[in-house]
Amino acid sequence: MVMKFTLFPWKPELVFTGTSVMGINPNNGKFCSHLDFWDSIENNDYFSLEGLWDVFRQLRVYKTPDLETPRYQILKRTANYEVRRYTPFIVVETDGDKLSGSTGFNTVAGYIFGKNSTMEKIPMTTPVFTQALDPELSEVSIQIVLPLEKDISSLPNPSQETVNLRKVEGGIAAALKFSGKPTEQVVREKEKALRSSLIRDGLNPKKGCLLARYNDPGRTWSFIMRNEVLIWLEEFTLD
């Protein structure tokens, strides 16, 4: 269940996943009881301070630009992370230097600003991804997601040999959201924490990770920045 909390100017989304248990009166076939068990808390009593705190945490400010973003469905939200099913999307990418670095961004941004075979300008999207495929998180590429209506066969070719177009097939990923400046140390700590949580919960994370940065660091206060570390999962089955 996803609810938009419209009482606050930033309109945060409240996300709840779990199990609803409905009791049925055998005499008349009508519902006679209803219990919800959230995935994000342990104490599911009718009035739970843990549940209240879980709601309060979701009210914090994250600045998400009003731009197109890859589509996903939230399958499960725990106290620490979300499990999402992503639909396929296309990225333009080039080599980067480190997870928190900006090396290569101007190169891939140049592609959408017209440095391509047809000089076509393509709308900006969010987030900017930095992907590491190795366990040491040292071999990285920086990526911009292209609009969903684009087809890879009809996109113009990059003007630079170091730039590639690639279709990401989507799949299941776990995401840990955080604010502040995503320095290399912070990103690695978040990746380690997320991976530990996934293993603890019996999930099977793939090697490497993605850093998703949603904001222009020169125009956004650090405490409202939206950043995410994502790890693709081998498989996921709802309990």
Side-chain angles (χ1 to χ4, degrees):
M1 180 175 64
V2 180
M3 300 175 5
K4 183 85 69 173
F5 197 82
T6 58
L7 296 180
F8 290 171
W10 57 95
K11 296 179 175 57
E13 284 189 342
L14 304 181
V15 180
F16 305 96
T17 66
T19 304
S20 291
V21 179
M22 311 293 290
I24 299 177
N25 187 325
N27 296 321
N28 57 24
K30 295 182 178 181
F31 292 115
C32 58
S33 65
H34 176 194
L35 294 174
D36 287 329
F37 298 91
W38 297 359
D39 293 325
S40 54
I41 62 176
E42 296 291 333
N43 181 1
N44 279 278
D45 291 341
Y46 179 75
F47 182 79
S48 167
L49 289 177
E50 184 185 6
L52 183 63
W53 175 244
D54 183 66
V55 172
F56 180 77
R57 287 194 308 128
Q58 294 189 72
L59 297 178
R60 67 157 303 152
V61 182
Y62 282 108
K63 183 176 176 58
T64 303
D66 187 19
L67 297 172
E68 188 174 328
T69 190
R71 292 176 182 164
Y72 62 82
Q73 177 189 10
I74 299 173
L75 302 178
K76 185 175 184 176
R77 188 185 72 84
T78 73
N80 303 311
Y81 60 87
E82 292 178 352
V83 178
R84 303 170 177 171
R85 177 185 287 118
Y86 277 86
T87 59
F89 55 92
I90 299 169
V91 297
V92 55
E93 65 179 350
T94 192
D95 290 339
D97 56 350
K98 57 183 180 178
L99 270 174
S100 64
S102 58
T103 297
F105 174 76
N106 288 338
T107 303
V108 290
Y111 174 83
I112 67 171
F113 294 149
K115 290 185 178 180
N116 53 61
S117 59
T118 62
M119 294 184 290
E120 177 185 353
K121 293 186 178 180
I122 300 171
M124 186 65 183
T125 63
T126 192
V128 174
F129 283 126
T130 310
Q131 181 172 26
L133 295 175
D134 61 314
E136 291 75 29
L137 310 181
S138 57
E139 300 175 10
V140 305
S141 64
I142 192 162
Q143 308 165 351
I144 290 178
V145 180
L146 299 181
L148 293 174
E149 75 271 9
K150 296 293 184 181
D151 184 86
I152 196 165
S153 62
S154 61
L155 283 165
N157 294 321
S159 299
Q160 296 175 271
E161 293 183 356
T162 56
V163 177
N164 300 301
L165 297 173
R166 181 169 62 88
K167 182 178 181 180
V168 179
E169 294 300 334
I172 308 297
L176 185 157
K177 185 187 296 185
F178 63 100
S179 61
K181 292 184 178 180
T183 65
E184 191 73 10
Q185 180 180 351
V186 168
V187 175
R188 287 177 175 268
E189 289 175 353
K190 298 297 183 182
E191 188 274 342
K192 184 178 179 180
L194 176 57
R195 188 171 297 275
S196 296
S197 295
L198 296 174
I199 294 172
R200 179 201 64 207
D201 293 343
L203 302 179
N204 191 6
K206 295 183 179 181
K207 64 182 180 180
C209 73
L210 283 161
L211 168 64
R213 288 175 280 190
Y214 285 80
N215 310 112
D216 182 341
R219 300 181 180 181
T220 311
W221 291 326
S222 62
F223 70 91
I224 60 172
M225 283 183 174
R226 177 181 173 181
N227 310 298
E228 294 172 348
V229 167
L230 299 98
I231 298 177
W232 294 107
L233 302 179
E234 294 285 354
E235 57 185 17
F236 177 76
T237 303
L238 285 172
D239 297 333

